[in-house]
Amino acid sequence: MAHAHTVSAAPRKGFWAVLKDWLTTVDHKKIAILYLLGGTIFFAVGGIEALLIRYQLMFPEFDAIPAQTFNELITMHGTTMIFFVAMPLVFAFMNAVLPLQIGARDVAFPFVNALGFWLFFLGGLLLNISWLFQSVPDAGWTAYVPLSGPDYGSFGVNFYVMGLQISGIGSLIGAINFIVTVVTMRAPGMTFMRMPLFVWTSFITSALILFAFPAITVGLVLLMFDRLFGANFFDVTQGGNVVLWQHLFWIFGHPEVYILILPAFGIISEVVSTFSSKRLFGYSSMVFATVLIGFLGFMVWAHHMFTTGMGGIANALFAVATMLIAIPTGIKVFNWIFTLWGGKIRFTAANLFAAGFIPTFVMGGVTGVMLAVAPANFQFHDSYFVVAHFHYVIVGGIVMALFAGCFYWWPKMFGRLLDEKLGKWTFWTFYPGFHLTFFIQHFLGLQGMPRRVFTYLDGQGWNTGNLVSTIGSFLMAVGVIIFLVNVFKTAAKPAGAPQDPWDGRTLEWTIPSPVPEYNFKQLPVVRGLDAWWVEKSEGRKEMTPAEPLGPIHMPSPTILPLLMSIALFIAAFGFMYANQPFDNGFIRFLFEKYVIAIAGLVMFFGCMIARSLKDDPGYHIHPEELEGEGVHQ
Amino acid sequence: MKRWYKAGRTALILAVAALLMAGCSGALDPQGERAKEQYFLIVLSFAIMALVMIVVFALFFIAIIRFRKRKGDTGYPEQVAGNHKLEIIWTVIPFTLILILAIFTVTYTFKHDEVIAADEAVNVQVTAHQFWWEFNYADYGIRTAQDLVLPENSWVNVDLTSADVIHSFWIPQLTGKTDTNPGLTKTVAFKTGDHGVYQGKCAELCGEGHALMDFKVVVLTEDEFNAWVASMQEPAPAPTTPAAVAGEEVFGNYCISCHAVTSDKMSLGPNLKGFADRETVGGFRENNDTWLREWIIDPQEVKPGATMPAFGDALTEEELNNLIEYIRTLK
Amino acid sequence: MSDVHAHAHGAHAHDGPLPPYPERATLDGRNKILGFWMFLAGETVLFGSLFATFLALKDSVMSGPSGQELFSLPLVALATFILLTSSLTSVFAVQAMHRHDKKGILVWLGVTVLLGLGFLILEIYEFVHYVHLGHGFTTSAFSSAFYTLVGFHGAHVVFGIVWISLIIGQVASKGLTVVTAPKVYVTSLYWHFVDLVWVFIFTVVYLMGKLG
């Protein structure tokens, strides 16, 4: 049932209409904002967890937070930050920017895209709701067995097992969506080697997600079977093997960190290039390096397991493979520096963060090479040296890039520019605060401070370092607060950002800010790398269209993705609480007989069947509804 | 430009201050051969990486300072696509540096996986528990816990396993860590340093008590070690004072079911033969009557997660005093 | 590149004669096929991990019966034959689709479903039998790994049977169109994948288990 759709100057909608719009959207631009919002909410949760951790560690033998709660805090902090902050924020930018940069009107699978978001959100909700149930996972974000298993683990680990399975499905299908989008939906003239680097990194990242997530899904399923159904995968008394979990986890876990960092590399490439007013130095080798990093990323997982006793051959192989990744990574760093070199660099807030990324990420990278030296790793592993290393690459790397991406693409997403001054204040509090927090931790680790410790004894020489680290963390919090103030202040401003505020080089800057529902009135012809720059350098004011004006087909909104995610959320509870001794007989019956669990699964598969049976005709936006200007016949 | 200079200078001061505050301990103060070789690798890898960082940072800071857009500067810079020569240089040089590092890495990886022939080393079977360390010397028929007593400048083989969850055996000044896995045994070798007491740590999250699952490595001279072995093989002298005798009865009623007092017997909890001479109570508190009393009354108060039940309500003050007096005879 | 046009997502069934290879005639159809290949790549890693788990734990028989004692190769060979044939019949269904033969699609997909059901019945019988012999899900690490790997495959067979049945219904009621054609093609891809996994299960679990 196609119907005409008004695009311009829509009447102001009521609250419920707006809510319905956001809950049923399949528009990648709105989904991007949902990911941004979800990621930010979880960032606040994870950030508070971090501050509590640092607070407890401020003084030796401090008794602010008991050991059990502390173990819950570190588990939730790590799990939330990696799965429910970094990943969704990366997906936010991929959704907001990728289709625009390839000159596409939409992604390949809008429904799947929306489903991916809601699965992520409900998964994150399930994990964090454990706080309300006072049954919080406490075995670390790595959940090693048997500590996370049925014999020694707490009930809270179930929230981890279920929450991550649900959100993992979301990540997987989201990745499939982006792979197909990049392969089939590029504008005419955009060959693979004319794609912006952010598209390349998103593409490779999606391939990594596709191959890495099934491994952890299997691991979580096995753990779930052990915990809930009496299986023996990790029960050594029944022939199980505890190291198996580690292999499955890290075969996912290592590519996961490249999944996080590659899009960050893409953002940095875009920002540095734009604000130097220079094309990216060494584009082909940047692409090649990205592919190589992605590929090698699957060959090194056991460098997280050097101390498990795999033997000399395994340790040597994984050590050397790990060191090799430094080479393509180094290539990228030099290419960024030489993009800046000879340019006319503008230090907007976005570029401050991008520039700050470079030395910080290099520091994190070199400690990574140090960690790769297997026998040295026997000293570093599970100490604060590792904590320092990964925070340098994740916070000093990914978070810095995410901030850069925010300042860079905010006008395109929201039609408003974030305040530059507040942005600089954010940088000058967050960045020094970050170094203050984590630099000293390298030395704490070398002095023998293990990680995941709720306290430390006096007289070991660790007091000052921990105090300094805690002070730094509060400075970082100030930076984040300033950023949030900036966001709210900007939201209150009227929209009206220019189409191309940064003198950009890529296609997203050829369309209005914010982007209209249909992205491109007419798909553009791409004549080279940095497609917009090519046109601008020949004096053109707009892209050449590749097609005449015509009706634009849009997919229909649908409530099914939200319903399917809620269904799995319910099913998860049904399985988790199946053997709980409820007082109320009826409730006990519902759970014991798996009524709730099955109801959730029936709802999930029912929605899938409904989706299969009813084909979506979508609706059309007609040329008469599009603004008059810039229309070519 | 000034701002960058200030920022850089601040960073440098912080770094140096941090370094000075850090001091040298743990892995940075190696005393055993394995730890010394690992320290060498740490320094070598750091030196190579420092070289890289100096080059990268220099290029970076020059770039961002020199090529800032000046006010009133219009026009665009040259759009440089790349430079083959540079790209080759910054592939080949890092590769070479990695190659050097890799050679040392592989050599020491194999070296540190070697174990010593059983008759040329002290052999100890280590079993990690939540949250204490069991040390058995099958060659001598000794079972003990929490203090790992070894002769100085000698090679040691440790057979590592766990009775429950994964822990990790780490003595920063003597050797890097190896995980203790339930259901599996891994043997590693290390050499002790000069006589002294070294700190041991658990280095894998194992539950509530993980942070406090310390142990001590007591390295004695050859003669002292032999004397220790001999005295461990004999039962402790019988208690003589009335309080200690009474305490032995208390022990028999409450403690013997989990704690053996002669080194030949297995027990659920730590073997207490030689406890009076141990470095710590609970693995990390000073071994004095105050802490011993606290421990017996409420172990979880001292070490969260401790699996020993609390005896504060079960024992009268007199019984507790007698018990402690008895325990002090367990030399 | 006819898809620069407006009909990017979903095409309209009234477009005239059905094109050859109707599953590829629209961008949406091509996207679905490529997307499904990607999904199968992920599934390959999924089953790969389950196989790795099985291989790691297959000797941890503990007090239960071993594979050698349990497996009956004739039964498994029959099940294999049935499943392989069902893969062939799904090929016939796709060939019918390329001939624009709606009835042929329905018949061959129907046979595929029936054969799939046959496989399933044999497998259920097999599992019940094993449980009676003391090889249950919780018996040992080997048994947990066995049932998880083979059971996951069985679950995929169930899903495929339901899915293909739904597609039979849709082709029957809506006819063969550029919208239903990709669905037929994709289910056929899925079914081939399920069959391929079975070939590996047959080899790694049953053959290797029986021969020791």
Side-chain angles (χ1 to χ4, degrees), chain B residues 10-300:
Chain B
T10 318
L12 196 61
I13 292 172
L14 271 171
V16 173
L19 265 157
L20 291 174
M21 282 188 293
C24 279
S25 66
L28 296 178
D29 180 27
Q31 298 297 318
E33 184 175 304
R34 283 274 155 93
K36 284 179 179 164
E37 290 174 347
Q38 286 156 3
Y39 176 73
F40 162 70
L41 288 170
I42 293 172
V43 171
L44 173 71
S45 58
F46 178 71
I48 296 176
M49 291 295 109
L51 208 68
V52 170
M53 275 199 287
I54 288 170
V55 171
V56 171
F57 278 39
L59 289 169
F60 172 74
F61 279 108
I62 293 171
I64 62 171
I65 293 170
R66 199 169 132 199
F67 296 104
R68 301 191 74 182
K69 184 169 183 170
R70 314 283 172 217
K71 265 199 178 61
D73 191 356
T74 53
Y76 291 105
E78 191 191 336
Q79 305 291 303
V80 181
N83 182 318
H84 261 103
K85 195 154 133 205
L86 276 178
E87 293 181 39
I88 291 175
I89 291 176
W90 66 52
T91 308
V92 169
I93 293 183
F95 180 78
T96 313
L97 293 173
I98 296 291
L99 191 63
I100 296 170
L101 189 59
I103 292 172
F104 282 100
T105 300
V106 172
T107 309
Y108 280 103
T109 300
F110 282 107
K111 187 162 187 222
H112 286 199
D113 198 43
E114 284 167 7
V115 295
I116 308 300
D119 53 354
E120 292 169 20
V122 176
N123 302 296
V124 185
Q125 296 78 50
V126 177
T127 305
H129 297 255
Q130 283 177 318
F131 302 99
W132 58 278
W133 294 91
E134 179 185 340
F135 303 119
N136 297 333
Y137 303 68
D139 295 341
Y140 307 126
I142 293 174
R143 297 175 179 278
T144 184
Q146 300 293 58
D147 277 10
L148 178 59
V149 181
L150 298 168
E152 63 178 352
N153 299 312
S154 308
W155 280 101
V156 181
N157 287 324
V158 282
D159 303 329
L160 299 164
T161 189
S162 168
D164 39 47
V165 299
I166 301 179
H167 303 266
S168 197
F169 178 83
W170 188 26
I171 313 167
Q173 284 185 292
L174 295 183
T175 182
K177 67 190 63 71
T178 301
D179 292 353
T180 60
N181 298 311
L184 302 163
T185 303
K186 171 74 179 175
T187 306
V188 293
F190 66 95
K191 196 170 184 193
T192 54
D194 289 334
H195 63 262
V197 177
Y198 299 89
Q199 184 60 54
K201 292 222 162 278
C202 174
E204 182 62 57
L205 179 66
C206 52
E208 245 183 305
H210 166 61
L212 301 171
M213 192 171 151
D214 288 359
F215 62 98
K216 296 287 188 200
V217 183
V218 179
V219 177
L220 306 172
T221 64
E222 188 82 27
D223 292 334
E224 285 170 339
F225 180 74
N226 292 332
W228 174 81
V229 170
S231 97
M232 286 297 281
Q233 287 169 332
E234 289 160 18
T240 48
T241 70
V245 172
E248 189 178 16
E249 199 186 325
V250 175
F251 192 94
N253 290 333
Y254 292 97
C255 318
I256 200 88
S257 48
C258 291
H259 294 284
V261 290
T262 53
S263 69
D264 57 337
K265 292 214 174 23
M266 284 182 65
S267 53
L268 222 53
N271 188 306
L272 294 181
K273 163 73 177 141
F275 177 84
D277 298 320
R278 283 195 196 153
E279 295 290 321
T280 62
V281 167
F284 70 104
R285 285 299 186 204
E286 190 185 329
N287 190 355
N288 56 38
D289 285 0
T290 315
W291 279 116
L292 183 55
R293 167 183 297 271
E294 297 273 334
W295 179 263
I296 296 173
I297 291 174
D298 189 352
Q300 289 75 38

Side-chain angles (χ1 to χ4, degrees), chain A residues 401-469:
Chain A
L402 291 173
F403 273 124
C406 280
F407 284 94
Y408 186 53
W409 281 310
W410 208 266
K412 194 54 57 181
M413 292 171 74
F414 296 101
R416 298 160 173 83
L417 287 150
L418 283 171
D419 186 288
E420 279 288 306
K421 194 179 210 162
L422 286 177
K424 289 178 182 167
W425 284 6
T426 304
F427 178 80
W428 289 111
T429 44
F430 187 84
Y431 193 61
F434 162 78
H435 283 286
L436 204 60
T437 309
F438 294 108
F439 187 69
I440 190 73
Q441 291 186 0
H442 293 101
F443 297 99
L444 286 173
L446 286 169
Q447 289 175 289
M449 183 171 178
R451 62 185 285 204
R452 297 172 167 168
V453 290
F454 83 101
T455 192
Y456 50 96
L457 298 175
D458 203 355
Q460 298 182 91
W462 303 346
N463 300 4
T464 314
N466 274 289
L467 180 63
V468 166
S469 183

Side-chain angles (χ1 to χ4, degrees), chain C residues 3-205:
Chain C
D3 307 285
V4 177
H5 250 304
H7 303 291
H9 286 279
H12 306 279
H14 54 265
D15 267 344
L18 213 51
Y21 299 101
E23 72 274 12
R24 296 182 184 282
T26 60
L27 174 66
D28 200 41
R30 290 195 297 278
N31 280 349
K32 282 196 166 114
I33 293 171
L34 178 61
F36 201 74
W37 276 107
M38 296 297 105
F39 176 72
L40 290 181
E43 286 260 87
T44 304
V45 177
L46 189 107
F47 274 101
S49 306
L50 287 173
F51 273 104
T53 301
F54 178 80
L55 286 170
L57 300 175
K58 68 179 171 63
D59 294 326
S60 298
V61 173
M62 309 313 286
S63 55
S66 69
Q68 210 157 27
E69 294 158 358
L70 284 168
F71 302 148
S72 150
L73 284 186
L75 177 74
V76 174
L78 177 61
T80 304
F81 177 72
I82 291 173
L83 200 64
L84 283 173
T85 307
S86 74
S87 217
L88 180 64
T89 55
S90 79
V91 170
F92 292 157
V94 171
Q95 286 178 335
M97 180 173 73
H98 291 157
R99 289 193 311 267
H100 301 169
D101 174 9
K102 171 176 162 180
K103 181 145 172 282
I105 297 174
L106 296 175
V107 165
W108 288 117
L109 283 184
V111 174
T112 305
V113 166
L114 287 173
L115 289 171
L117 279 168
F119 172 88
L120 214 53
I121 288 167
L122 278 178
E123 189 158 83
I124 292 171
Y125 167 76
E126 179 199 355
F127 284 4
V128 168
H129 181 60
Y130 290 163
V131 170
H132 282 139
L133 290 178
H135 176 70
F137 184 63
T138 62
T139 306
S140 65
F142 160 68
S143 72
S144 299
F146 170 84
Y147 281 109
T148 301
L149 172 60
V150 185
F152 250 72
H153 174 267
H156 277 73
V157 172
V158 171
F159 188 89
I161 289 172
V162 172
W163 189 10
I164 296 177
S165 304
L166 285 173
I167 301 305
I168 292 174
Q170 289 183 59
V171 172
S173 64
K174 300 178 201 169
L176 177 64
T177 67
V178 291
V179 173
T180 56
K183 301 189 190 204
V184 174
Y185 191 81
V186 161
T187 51
S188 162
L189 274 181
Y190 177 79
W191 199 250
H192 291 314
F193 175 77
V194 167
D195 194 35
L196 182 63
V197 172
W198 177 256
V199 169
F200 279 93
I201 290 180
F202 175 71
T203 311
V204 171
V205 175

Side-chain angles (χ1 to χ4, degrees), chain A residues 22 163 196 204 230 259 270 323 362 379 399 401 419 491 629:
Chain A
W22 286 91
I204 303 296
I259 289 166
E270 301 292 323
M323 286 181 213
V362 168
Q379 292 284 18
V399 174
D419 186 288
E629 51 191 291

